[in-house]
Amino acid sequence: MEKQTLQKHTLEKQSWKNIQAQIRQRIAAREWEPGDLIPGESQLAQQLGCARATVNRALQGLADAGLIERRRKAGTRVKLYPVRKATLEIPITRLEVEQSGATYRHQIKKKKIVKTPPSLAKHLNLSAAENLLHLSSVHYANQKPFLYEERYICIATVPAIANIDFEQVSANEWLVRNAPFTHGDVAISAENASSLEAEQLQTREGAAIVVIDRTTWNQAKLITNVRLAYAPGYRMYSAI
Amino acid sequence: MEKQTLQKHTLEKQSWKNIQAQIRQRIAAREWEPGDLIPGESQLAQQLGCARATVNRALQGLADAGLIERRRKAGTRVKLYPVRKATLEIPITRLEVEQSGATYRHQIKKKKIVKTPPSLAKHLNLSAAENLLHLSSVHYANQKPFLYEERYICIATVPAIANIDFEQVSANEWLVRNAPFTHGDVAISAENASSLEAEQLQTREGAAIVVIDRTTWNQAKLITNVRLAYAPGYRMYSAI
DNA sequence: AAGTGGTCTAGACCACACC
DNA sequence: GTGTGGTCTAGACCACTTC
């Protein structure tokens, strides 16, 4: 009690964010150079007048941010090459469009049940006999094409999709709300629009478009694989 | 002691990750539906036989992952639209190339000191009188162009750059190691290669290329703005 | 005013990696 | 073995928000 009151008076607020900021600054100021070992948690706790758990939380955040590297017994080091990370949010397309102030609409272009196409079978190591629902659709913002989507949904994993009217709710939105996934992967690239894509996006063939390829799983079961071709001019932003 | 031993015997390992997985599963299983309020921390702690702090840690992770939404007094709700996030690592170009097994080389194409160009002045709200070091360079993987980079560095913020030989260390690498930044922003887009870019990247004009525009700051002071034009075929990957 | 999450503490034990 | 980070606990107080 006595100690705590003292701290409050001398250092005002103590929180793990505060501690983290102090350590961050000491790293930025080169007090500990890249590659250096920094003091142990207990030592820092004593220096900074807080509990070890608080220092631990601060350091875990810094490790997460890629500034330091921690190993039991070996201690904590300032990274030689700090790894910065950009976090991109993956929004529901309808919300993304609406948040930009535009009116959203989407249209199904194709819908049929197919066996696993060879291109996917290899990449997703899926049985060639698997039944997939193949959907193509275009999403519009203010009646202008925004995104052309080519999607495969694994029927065995998500049997309920058989009864969904995808004219009402996009597959994207329905899946996000009804088929929670455990993990997945994303690839982002740039491609020249094919003639089909150019037609659907009402742009010229060869225009540079952002393409996102995304696959999601529930445990070991594939849920969906989708290729998203955004209309020219699409940009993704992130703070770092 | 007695209690702890009991837990060990009945539930094997208890950790916040375990608790988190249990809660995750209950959300996935629709035990709590999207929009529902889930029990408070103390209640969950009692149910799960652990301390409230442990539940707190688990729930904070889930909030971070975008699955739930927490507010004091209001409680914790399952998000209607879970926001998934993809985290992209921003590597040093040399390391990115070398990790792919290729040999790295880079070459400075232009280097001169300029006043803030109008295009940047607006976007970065920078004084037009600011002195910037303007560098263009090409990074190669196995002698093939990998990345064309157009960079501006704020001399007032990083005076030390005046004496750096950027033939030896790329600006990218030098800055990462010597000019820590507090925050920044990134934009990713697809563009058709201009004639200059096509020439530098040894590709055809109009080829679709990934373009990353990145700006970093130290507190209120601009460090650098860079436009990275990757050779056709470049892909960024992320797990989600 | 009251209830919820957010954080801190002191102490304890564990898990892992290095010696 | 031994030292480091990783985690857990019980209890406490704080801060924010809704009522």
Side-chain angles (χ1 to χ4, degrees):
Chain A
M1 184 59 187
E2 206 172 68
K3 201 162 144 199
Q4 207 175 69
T5 306
L6 179 62
Q7 283 175 21
K8 289 287 162 63
H9 278 254
T10 48
L11 300 170
E12 289 301 323
K13 261 191 205 169
Q14 282 284 15
S15 77
W16 68 269
K17 288 195 175 185
N18 231 302
I19 301 286
Q20 193 179 68
Q22 287 180 47
I23 296 172
R24 218 186 200 112
Q25 200 183 344
R26 290 168 80 170
I27 292 173
R30 299 295 196 123
E31 181 173 331
W32 304 305
E33 304 207 355
D36 278 5
L37 205 56
I38 76 176
E41 294 189 349
S42 332
Q43 204 175 329
L44 280 173
Q46 202 175 4
Q47 273 182 36
L48 298 165
C50 65
R52 184 169 81 92
T54 307
V55 173
N56 182 282
R57 184 161 188 108
L59 291 179
Q60 277 198 8
L62 293 177
D64 224 61
L67 283 181
I68 60 177
E69 205 161 20
R70 326 189 68 202
R71 267 188 344 225
R72 282 159 154 138
K73 169 74 178 174
T76 299
R77 287 181 184 280
V78 179
K79 270 212 178 179
L80 278 152
Y81 298 101
V83 181
R84 291 302 192 138
K85 291 162 188 164
T87 304
L88 298 172
E89 296 202 346
I90 305 173
I92 291 185
T93 303
R94 177 173 68 78
L95 297 178
E96 186 177 15
V97 168
E98 288 175 354
Q99 272 166 29
S100 77
T103 324
Y104 173 79
R105 183 171 71 84
H106 77 106
Q107 191 174 4
I108 307 288
K109 296 291 184 175
K110 274 190 291 189
K111 175 180 175 178
K112 69 175 165 185
I113 294 175
V114 299
K115 296 291 178 190
T116 313
S119 56
L120 289 184
K122 198 171 51 181
H123 172 237
L124 307 175
N125 77 7
L126 207 59
S127 150
E130 197 75 60
N131 281 316
L132 303 175
L133 178 62
H134 178 32
L135 279 173
S136 342
S137 46
V138 179
H139 302 251
Y140 298 87
N142 282 344
Q143 312 301 334
K144 285 191 341 200
F146 175 76
L147 166 63
Y148 172 64
E149 156 184 337
E150 191 119 4
R151 181 186 293 274
Y152 293 87
I153 306 171
C154 183
I155 295 175
T157 311
V158 200
I161 48 156
N163 310 311
I164 307 302
D165 177 6
F166 287 118
E167 303 285 351
Q168 300 302 314
V169 196
S170 77
N172 174 359
E173 190 162 346
W174 189 87
L175 287 168
V176 167
R177 299 196 52 169
N178 297 279
F181 64 90
T182 54
H183 66 286
D185 52 76
V186 195
I188 302 170
S189 57
E191 295 192 20
N192 292 103
S194 68
S195 60
L196 170 63
E197 287 161 349
E199 186 192 327
Q200 300 291 354
L201 294 172
Q202 292 169 28
T203 185
R204 64 178 178 81
E205 188 173 343
I209 57 176
V210 170
V211 172
I212 298 184
D213 198 298
R214 190 164 70 214
T215 307
T216 55
W217 310 78
N218 190 347
Q219 312 295 353
K221 296 178 300 184
L222 171 72
I223 296 176
T224 189
N225 168 270
V226 64
R227 178 191 150 95
L228 306 168
Y230 286 88
Y234 183 72
R235 285 165 79 84
M236 289 176 290
Y237 298 95
S238 164
I240 50 178
Chain B
M1 187 59 187
E2 204 172 68
K3 201 162 142 199
Q4 209 174 69
T5 307
L6 179 62
Q7 284 175 20
K8 287 286 160 65
H9 277 254
T10 50
L11 300 170
E12 289 302 322
K13 263 191 203 169
Q14 282 283 17
S15 77
W16 69 268
K17 286 194 177 186
N18 231 303
I19 300 286
Q20 193 180 68
Q22 287 181 46
I23 296 172
R24 219 186 200 113
Q25 201 184 342
R26 290 168 80 168
I27 292 173
R30 299 297 197 122
E31 182 173 333
W32 305 304
E33 303 206 356
D36 278 4
L37 204 58
I38 77 175
E41 294 189 349
S42 332
Q43 204 176 329
L44 280 173
Q46 203 176 2
Q47 272 182 37
L48 299 165
C50 66
R52 185 169 80 89
T54 307
V55 174
N56 181 283
R57 184 161 188 110
L59 291 179
Q60 277 197 10
L62 293 177
D64 224 61
L67 282 182
I68 59 178
E69 204 161 22
R70 326 189 69 202
R71 267 186 346 226
R72 282 158 152 139
K73 167 73 178 174
T76 299
R77 287 180 183 281
V78 179
K79 270 212 181 179
L80 278 153
Y81 298 100
V83 181
R84 290 300 193 140
K85 291 163 188 164
T87 305
L88 298 172
E89 296 201 347
I90 305 173
I92 290 185
T93 302
R94 177 172 68 77
L95 297 180
E96 186 177 14
V97 167
E98 287 175 355
Q99 271 165 29
S100 76
T103 325
Y104 173 78
R105 184 173 69 85
H106 76 105
Q107 192 175 4
I108 306 288
K109 296 292 184 172
K110 274 190 291 188
K111 176 180 174 179
K112 69 175 164 182
I113 293 175
V114 298
K115 296 291 178 189
T116 313
S119 57
L120 289 184
K122 198 170 53 179
H123 173 236
L124 307 176
N125 76 10
L126 206 60
S127 150
E130 197 75 60
N131 280 316
L132 303 175
L133 178 62
H134 177 35
L135 279 172
S136 338
S137 46
V138 178
H139 303 253
Y140 298 86
N142 281 344
Q143 312 301 334
K144 284 191 341 199
F146 175 76
L147 165 64
Y148 171 63
E149 155 185 337
E150 190 118 5
R151 182 186 291 275
Y152 293 88
I153 304 170
C154 183
I155 296 174
T157 311
V158 201
I161 47 156
N163 312 312
I164 307 302
D165 177 6
F166 288 117
E167 303 285 350
Q168 300 302 314
V169 196
S170 77
N172 174 359
E173 190 162 346
W174 189 87
L175 286 168
V176 167
R177 298 196 54 170
N178 297 279
F181 63 91
T182 54
H183 65 285
D185 52 76
V186 195
I188 301 170
S189 57
E191 294 193 21
N192 292 103
S194 68
S195 60
L196 170 63
E197 286 161 351
E199 187 191 327
Q200 300 292 354
L201 294 172
Q202 291 169 29
T203 185
R204 64 179 177 80
E205 187 173 345
I209 56 176
V210 171
V211 172
I212 297 184
D213 198 299
R214 190 164 69 214
T215 307
T216 55
W217 310 78
N218 189 346
Q219 312 294 355
K221 296 178 300 184
L222 171 73
I223 295 175
T224 189
N225 167 270
V226 64
R227 178 191 151 94
L228 306 168
Y230 286 88
Y234 182 71
R235 286 165 78 84
M236 290 177 290
Y237 297 95
S238 165
I240 51 178

